[in-house]
Amino acid sequence: RIGTAALAVQVVGSNWPKPHYTLLVTGLCRFQILQLLKEKPYPVAEVQQLDRLEQFTNGHKSEEELGELSEQFYKYAVQLVEMLDMSVPAVAKLRRLLDNLPREALPDILTSIIRTTNQEKLQILDAVRLEERFKMTIPLLVRQIEGLKLLQKTRKSKQDDDKRVVAIRPNRRITHGSITEDEEEEEDHDDVVMLEKKIRTSSMSEQALKVCLKEIKRLKKMPQSMPEYALTRNYLELMVELPWNKSTKDRLEIRAARIVLDNDHYAMEKLKKRVLEYLAVRQLKNNLKGPILCFVGPPGVGKTSVGRSIAKTLGREFHRIALGGVCDQSDIRGHRRTYVGSMPGRIINGLKTVGVNNPVFLLDEVDKLAKSLQGDPAAALLEVLDPEQNHSFTDHYLNVAFDLSQVLFIATANTTATIPPALLDRMEVIQVPGYTQEEKIEIAHRHLIPKQLELHGLTPQQIQIPQVTTLGIITRYTREAGVRALDRKLGAICRAVAVKVAEGQHKEAKPDRAEVGEGEDCKEHITEDAKPESIGDTADLALPPEMPILIDFHALKDILGPPMYDMEVSERLNQPGVAIGLAWTPLGGEIMFVEASRMDGEGQLTLTGQLGDVMKESAHLAISWLRSNAKRYQLTNASGSFDLLDNTDIHLHFPAGAVTKDGPSAGVTIVTCLASLFSGRLVCSDVAMTGEITLRGLVLPVGGIKDKVLAAHRAGLKRIIIPQRNEKDLEEIAAHVRQDLTFVLAGCLDEVLNAAFDGGFAVKARLEHFNSKL
């Protein structure tokens, strides 16, 4: 019933996730409980003070009373402290306390420091008389001194470390705990020595080696309990793991490379040609810097997969870095080591992952980088993708230069419009256009169908998809530049066939398990089940007589439903005021209908369809040119006036209304649509057009010709009107596509109108007597 009265100096803690607090208290005196008054909400008792701090002020009187007992205790205390490491601040402070504090206060102080059990501490606390307290504490000091002597004999090589452990870690047992701690420190010391050996034997640059040796010296002097110890060690381990001079040997056989590329991808002649050119130059020059390529094209055309194929062709490691939505420049350059949780950027992490300094890095979706308060990652890529700078790329985490000149960077994008001009200037842009129908059929039968059969556990002996069926899927169920939707449709067909095959195997197993005594009834039952029916019926098609299952147009309708796309071009051009234009989008080329109508009004022009400013200006240009040439083409409004906007409102609409549209290439389409509206003549149903117009009636060149032509070819159109100065772009189009289409090269709007209408567009002849030679 003896306790210690104390004063709470500090309270630290919280109530989450559960209450836990730490108290810092200062002891005042001993007390004895006389009577417990209450226990809740907290104990309250009547106590009697047993000793006072004031009684220790007269130190000389206490020494005379205690005599030899006090001197003996002081001698053992000094001996114990001097056996410890005096370089430790806590030990030096304890040595000063032994000389400055009264002798009567020393038993309580040393008992709280040396290794003792809680029971021994309570016994000393219960000892009120000083003489009794000294007698109980002296054996504890002797025991501690003998333990230190034993440690000094067994571990002389680490005497100073043992003293520090005994002084700072009093909660471990002397005979076992210190030895275990010594073993851990020895292991850590060996790890640091091994790390230093790896640093010295690594092939890192001179600057990096100098930084690492400086950090390893700091690491040796640093206590393991410091947070910076783990950060420094992680940094050094990363520096050792980086491939400073480790590289793979390129396979430079051009013939073998061409075979690999042709087997992996169909078409893509531009990409294959560029890779073979790189291999040819590498044969002639070993230290060629890695090119910075940028594949730009619609989704699903194989930009990412061709990057993997290039790495396979060269015999290099491949690493993909997805940049879509990245808005922090630290993802590229890394964090500085001063921050908590700092780590290197994706470039250095990728090099650590592949383990060589000449991999193929695929920077996927580089056009979808974002900006934020953490910086612009596109600006951080300027150094990475610059052949003149990336030989000394400096990551914020490493803070030393790393050579990226041997890395083959391949970026992919759907459009160059959202890529900053400075970044685009550093890359070699290679356009990857969409596929034609013939190319899609070849891709489907070479790659997609075998892949889907393998994924669904089918064999060619169980399912057959003719090329005619594949063409039906392409034209009626997909309308895209790539082959992703086609791949999904083929997967749906394989799943439907897998159901039939699984049901057939289940029904085949039933007769095997049946009893032989069933006789003829069983045979008749099997014969009835084996009757052939269509794939849409409930009968079993997986039985041997039905193999393989042939997918025809009826099966397509049963599996994929009714066709999603119809050839609606001729149906939508059955009245004046409708024309077909060609548009380019990041997803590939598209055909675009332009519709016009007129009504009585005040001469206003209404534009709908979520149009951008450039397209609105093209519409105003078109109506101005037609108004100025109305007499020449005999165009009149409803009242017969050549002023087309006289008491007439015009409404132009660009379906679909939910899709944003902009660009100058719809100029010729708007002129043709309005000319059809005011002349009352129908535009040819197989004609599509694109081109920018001027106020003088000239047709200017536009971009995306190949994607637009492929879109018209997919839609079944036969004639395409393009600007005359875009004739050079027709060379990029496949020969079989050019044979199916008729191209009209127009330099002015007169040629456009003559080609868009059957029999041309009549122009009123000028009278001869108006001509003059004056």
Side-chain angles (χ1 to χ4, degrees):
R1 300 176 66 85
I2 296 179
T4 303
L7 181 65
V9 178
Q10 187 179 17
V11 181
V12 180
S14 67
N15 289 323
W16 190 89
K18 60 182 180 179
H20 59 283
Y21 296 94
T22 301
L23 299 180
L24 178 62
V25 298
T26 300
L28 300 177
C29 64
R30 289 178 172 82
F31 65 83
Q32 182 179 8
I33 298 177
L34 299 179
Q35 180 182 0
L36 187 63
L37 300 180
K38 64 176 183 177
E39 294 184 1
K40 295 183 179 180
Y42 49 85
V44 177
E46 180 181 352
V47 300
Q48 179 184 1
Q49 185 172 347
L50 299 179
D51 56 8
R52 296 175 180 272
L53 295 178
E54 290 81 2
Q55 69 180 355
F56 300 140
T57 55
N58 191 357
H60 297 288
K61 181 178 178 181
S62 300
E63 289 179 10
E64 294 173 0
E65 292 177 355
L66 295 174
E68 295 181 359
L69 196 60
S70 175
E71 288 295 331
Q72 186 181 8
F73 180 86
Y74 178 76
K75 181 183 67 173
Y76 283 127
V78 172
Q79 181 183 355
L80 174 63
V81 174
E82 289 181 349
M83 292 179 69
L84 302 178
D85 187 2
M86 298 300 294
S87 63
V88 178
V91 178
K93 185 176 181 180
L94 179 59
R95 181 66 184 85
R96 292 193 298 270
L97 288 176
L98 292 179
D99 296 332
N100 297 331
L101 287 177
R103 300 286 174 86
E104 292 76 8
L106 294 182
D108 293 335
I109 294 176
L110 287 178
T111 304
S112 65
I113 295 176
I114 63 177
R115 296 175 186 266
T116 55
T117 63
N118 290 334
Q119 187 65 30
E120 291 171 341
K121 286 184 171 68
L122 288 175
Q123 291 176 359
I124 295 174
L125 186 63
D126 292 341
V128 180
R129 296 177 57 237
L130 286 175
E131 182 180 358
E132 183 181 359
R133 212 178 301 163
F134 275 120
K135 289 180 180 180
M136 296 178 65
T137 312
I138 288 175
L140 300 179
L141 292 179
V142 173
R143 186 181 70 183
Q144 188 76 53
I145 292 172
E146 292 299 326
L148 284 177
K149 289 180 180 180
L150 179 63
L151 286 176
Q152 289 175 352
K153 290 179 181 180
T154 56
R155 301 298 298 271
K156 290 183 179 180
S157 60
K158 290 191 176 183
Q159 185 177 3
D160 294 339
D161 292 338
D162 291 337
K163 293 176 185 177
R164 184 181 296 113
V165 169
V166 175
I168 298 177
R169 307 267 180 137
N171 292 329
R172 293 176 179 257
R173 291 182 178 270
I174 297 175
T175 56
H176 301 288
S178 298
I179 296 176
T180 304
E181 185 68 24
D182 293 335
E183 292 176 354
E184 292 178 358
E185 289 190 359
E186 185 178 2
E187 291 178 1
D188 291 336
H189 178 73
D190 293 342
D191 290 344
V192 173
V193 172
M194 289 296 296
L195 187 59
E196 182 179 8
K197 183 179 179 181
K198 290 180 180 179
I199 291 173
R200 293 185 182 277
T201 56
S202 65
S203 57
M204 63 179 65
S205 62
E206 183 178 352
Q207 179 190 6
L209 181 62
K210 183 178 179 181
V211 172
C212 288
L213 293 178
K214 181 180 178 182
E215 292 292 331
I216 202 73
K217 289 180 181 178
R218 292 180 62 243
L219 188 67
K220 290 180 179 179
K221 300 177 182 178
M222 198 181 302
Q224 298 180 22
S225 58
M226 290 185 62
E228 194 175 354
Y229 182 89
L231 297 178
T232 305
R233 184 164 179 168
N234 291 339
Y235 172 75
L236 293 174
E237 289 176 350
L238 174 66
M239 295 288 283
V240 171
E241 292 175 1
L242 284 179
W244 296 92
N245 280 325
K246 184 180 178 182
S247 60
T248 56
K249 187 176 181 181
D250 289 346
R251 290 201 295 261
L252 302 178
E253 298 180 5
I254 296 181
R255 183 175 300 176
R258 182 182 284 111
I259 294 175
V260 172
L261 290 174
D262 289 340
N263 290 338
D264 289 349
H265 291 85
Y266 183 76
M268 292 190 175
E269 300 302 329
K270 273 190 176 181
L271 299 185
K272 297 176 183 178
K273 179 182 176 182
R274 182 64 182 87
V275 174
L276 296 178
E277 289 173 353
Y278 173 74
L279 288 177
V281 178
R282 281 283 284 114
Q283 284 186 357
L284 303 178
K285 186 176 181 181
N286 291 329
N287 58 347
L288 178 66
K289 293 182 179 180
I292 315 294
L293 305 178
C294 181
F295 299 159
V296 179
V301 296
K303 300 185 297 296
T304 302
S305 60
V306 79
R308 196 182 304 273
S309 180
I310 289 174
K312 177 182 174 183
T313 303
L314 297 175
R316 293 191 179 189
E317 298 292 334
F318 177 80
H319 185 72
R320 175 179 172 270
I321 300 176
L323 297 179
V326 172
C327 58
D328 187 355
Q329 61 124 6
S330 297
D331 279 4
I332 308 298
R333 287 185 175 274
H335 303 82
R336 301 190 185 277
R337 284 191 292 140
T338 53
Y339 296 120
V340 177
S342 59
M343 57 187 299
R346 295 195 182 189
I347 303 297
I348 297 299
N349 262 334
L351 290 170
K352 174 188 172 184
T353 302
V354 298
V356 292
N357 65 355
N358 64 338
V360 175
F361 269 12
L362 183 74
L363 306 178
D364 213 2
E365 309 294 353
V366 74
D367 59 327
K368 296 174 180 61
L369 290 169
K371 291 183 180 180
S372 69
L373 297 176
Q374 285 74 32
D376 185 4
L381 280 175
L382 294 178
E383 181 183 5
V384 177
L385 300 181
D386 192 342
E388 302 300 326
Q389 300 180 24
N390 63 7
H391 64 276
S392 60
F393 170 70
T394 303
D395 188 273
H396 286 163
Y397 184 83
L398 297 186
N399 206 23
V400 293
F402 194 93
D403 186 8
L404 299 178
S405 60
Q406 297 303 315
V407 179
L408 173 57
F409 287 101
I410 298 177
T412 67
N414 296 132
T415 176
T416 57
T418 55
I419 302 178
L423 181 60
L424 188 64
D425 182 62
R426 284 164 166 77
M427 299 185 291
E428 179 182 346
V429 178
I430 299 178
Q431 296 290 339
V432 185
Y435 296 117
T436 63
Q437 292 181 0
E438 290 76 10
E439 290 172 344
K440 288 183 180 181
I441 293 174
E442 286 294 329
I443 293 171
H445 286 269
R446 290 189 184 189
H447 303 286
L448 301 184
I449 294 178
K451 183 186 77 171
Q452 290 295 339
L453 292 182
E454 183 180 358
L455 288 177
H456 294 86
L458 299 174
T459 62
Q461 288 74 29
Q462 294 171 322
I463 178 175
Q464 284 187 1
I465 304 178
Q467 290 193 357
V468 178
T469 304
T470 307
L471 179 61
I473 299 173
I474 294 171
T475 56
R476 297 187 179 187
Y477 292 93
T478 65
R479 185 164 289 179
E480 57 172 353
V483 292
R484 282 183 182 161
L486 175 61
D487 193 26
R488 287 192 290 268
K489 300 300 181 184
L490 293 173
I493 294 173
C494 290
R495 288 193 297 271
V497 173
V499 172
K500 296 295 179 182
V501 173
E503 289 178 352
Q505 291 177 352
H506 178 68
K507 290 184 179 181
E508 279 186 325
K510 283 184 178 181
D512 296 338
R513 294 193 301 266
E515 296 294 335
V516 180
E518 292 183 2
E520 298 298 327
D521 295 336
C522 182
K523 294 181 180 179
E524 291 176 1
H525 179 68
I526 296 174
T527 305
E528 290 177 359
D529 287 345
K531 291 181 180 179
E533 297 183 20
S534 66
I535 194 171
D537 297 333
T538 59
D540 178 21
L541 296 184
L543 292 179
E546 298 295 328
M547 288 296 182
I549 297 177
L550 182 66
I551 305 299
D552 55 10
F553 289 107
H554 297 290
L556 280 184
K557 188 174 182 181
D558 292 334
I559 298 173
L560 302 180
M564 300 174 60
Y565 302 99
D566 295 324
M567 296 301 177
E568 58 179 357
V569 175
S570 59
E571 298 176 2
R572 296 184 65 170
L573 294 178
N574 57 1
Q575 61 181 357
V578 182
I580 302 176
L582 297 174
W584 181 90
T585 68
L587 305 179
E590 294 288 343
I591 64 171
M592 178 180 62
F593 290 90
V594 180
E595 301 174 350
S597 63
R598 60 181 177 179
M599 67 287 295
D600 294 338
E602 300 177 355
Q604 294 182 354
L605 177 62
T606 304
L607 303 172
T608 56
Q610 288 208 38
L611 309 182
D613 293 336
V614 178
M615 189 170 283
K616 291 178 181 178
E617 292 174 357
S618 297
H620 287 286
L621 276 173
I623 193 64
S624 297
W625 184 84
L626 284 175
R627 291 178 68 186
S628 62
N629 292 273
K631 289 184 179 180
R632 183 183 174 198
Y633 290 103
Q634 296 296 307
L635 301 177
T636 60
N637 57 14
S639 59
S641 173
F642 289 115
D643 187 358
L644 302 181
L645 292 181
D646 184 22
N647 297 323
T648 303
D649 287 346
I650 300 176
H651 187 169
L652 275 172
H653 179 61
F654 297 76
V659 180
T660 304
K661 311 169 191 69
D662 200 6
S665 60
V668 295
T669 312
I670 299 173
V671 170
T672 306
C673 176
L674 293 175
S676 170
L677 176 68
F678 288 108
S679 65
R681 298 178 60 186
L682 296 178
V683 180
C684 295
S685 60
D686 61 345
V687 174
M689 60 200 74
T690 183
E692 182 181 357
I693 63 172
T694 66
L695 202 57
R696 295 180 299 161
L698 300 179
V699 180
L700 302 183
V702 293
I705 291 295
K706 183 173 183 180
D707 289 323
K708 293 176 180 179
V709 170
L710 292 179
H713 186 257
R714 286 196 299 268
L717 300 175
K718 298 301 180 183
R719 275 197 298 167
I720 300 178
I721 303 172
I722 63 173
Q724 189 171 9
R725 289 163 61 182
N726 281 118
E727 184 179 6
K728 61 183 184 299
D729 298 319
L730 298 180
E731 297 177 1
E732 301 178 1
I733 302 172
H736 63 274
V737 176
R738 293 202 302 266
Q739 292 176 359
D740 293 342
L741 300 174
T742 301
F743 295 96
V744 177
L745 304 177
C748 61
L749 286 175
D750 292 338
E751 299 173 0
V752 172
L753 295 178
N754 285 328
F757 294 91
D758 284 332
F761 205 72
V763 179
K764 182 179 179 181
R766 297 188 178 184
L767 299 177
E768 291 296 332
H769 62 269
F770 284 112
N771 295 332
S772 174
K773 296 182 180 180
L774 295 179

